[in-house]
Amino acid sequence: MRHEPIGKELFISNRRRLIKKLKPGSLVVFNSNDIMPSNADGTLGYIQNSDLYYVSGIHQEESMVVICPDFPDKKYREVLFLREPNELMEKWEGHKLTKKEATAISGIETVVWVSGFEKLFHHMVTMGGVDNVYLNTNEHYRSEVVVQSRDARFIDWCQRTYPLHRYRRIAPIMSELRRVKQPREIELMQRACDITECGFRRVLNYVRPGVMEYEIEAEFIHEFKRLGSKGFAYTPIIASGSNNVILHYVENSQQCHAGDLLLLDVAAEYANYNSDLTRTIPVSGKFTRRQKEVYNAVLRIHRQAMKLLRPNVVYFDYQKEIEKLMEAELLKLKLIDKTDIKKQSPENPAFRKYFYHGTSHMLGLDVHDVGNMHDQVQVGSVWTIEPGIYIKEEKFGIRLENNVVIGKNKNHDLMSNIPIEAEEIEEIMNQKRS
Ligand code: GLY
Ligand code: MN
Ligand code: MN
């Protein structure tokens, strides 16, 4: 692995907190993700299942974790199943985890080769006083799953093999646990943000009229990987000129021109934890008056949002507050007028033409992290703050995005070191280039 050791204590404590939420006589199964195919014999880069990682820290395919807290023999209360390494596999794919290494990462003492899963699982599920079998599915509010995951295949197999057990969903419990971050998780997210900062500063030093969006992408990835990240936390959005207004512009194929703005929604992962940054900068190192006027409107909302997203607030009420602020800023910018306000309806508010996404989402092992958005905001949860104004007719859009930990007395901005003031960005861009 590229990152520093996380320490098994985090995963031991994650399992301990999970076990407290289970009913008596329970067993839980976590599956790793599949290696996804591309074409021919190609595969995509491996992405671990976030829940399995959360309870084990194991980043290896074909792994399983079974937790059975009431099993009579202590040895089988937590079991990690792994692919058995062999000489041929290691010749082609390199090193795979040994049992000892897996125990050091996860704190799980009993590690068994996955080829022995069915036999040991039968023992656990029949001899462990198990009434409730918790299985996992992707219940993310925005997921549109179209492939059958290992979890889904396992559910089929398990329910066919043990039809009379009582099956329960682990996803709501994982979502509740994962939304509040442990101090070690915050450290890892801070590291992801710091790596992102280095990438952004490198790009501030690099951007000038004539560069291609994909050249900027290359600068970011160079810096991220150099610093121990596996790479981008999500597909980078490097959008110059009128591409600014397309929320998920990922082609990154155009040339950057003098006078245009460049919207950079680019961030690094670290140890499977994500950061999520957006900055909007002037290609030629200086904002026009109009660009700066809109920039500062977005920045004012950003700063207000930092204060409004507080413990016990419900996200959707906060979003309404932001929309009111946005309406006022858009009036000041003369993008909408009193007639637009009179004509608007709840389904078709006037601001929607220029601000057409949510202001925040939770962040963690997933970029749009788990956690019920209808619940009150929790101390220790990590959120993005990302208002934006997109003016198609003026061919530019501006979004500013930071990541904050919700604190009891005040929020902690994990990106407070990343330049955000228009003047600071201009100053850095106009320093003598290296
Ligand atoms: N980069 C994805 C997002 O901002 O939600
Ligand atoms: Mn975001
Ligand atoms: Mn983003």
Side-chain angles (χ1 to χ4, degrees), residues 17 20 24 36 70 75 84 92 111 120 163 189 208 228 249 299 352 368 370 377 409 414 416:
R17 283 179 295 103
K20 282 200 192 128
M36 298 307 287
D70 303 327
K75 193 172 162 203
E84 182 172 12
W92 282 80
V111 183
L120 179 52
M189 293 183 76
R208 65 202 73 196
Y249 171 80
L299 186 55
R352 182 82 74 228
H368 294 165
V370 291
V377 169
N409 300 316
L414 296 172
S416 59

Side-chain angles (χ1 to χ4, degrees), residues 24-29 68 71 121-135 154-155 157-169:
S26 285
L27 176 147
V28 196
V29 183
C68 186
F71 198 85
F121 186 72
H122 184 71
H123 188 69
M124 293 172 84
V125 93
T126 55
M127 308 277 280
V130 173
D131 285 327
N132 302 292
V133 178
Y134 287 83
L135 300 180
F154 187 76
I155 291 170
W157 174 83
C158 202
Q159 291 190 323
R160 244 185 303 116
T161 314
Y162 303 100
L164 298 183
H165 279 72
R166 188 194 309 242
Y167 287 93
R168 296 190 181 274
R169 296 150 59 220

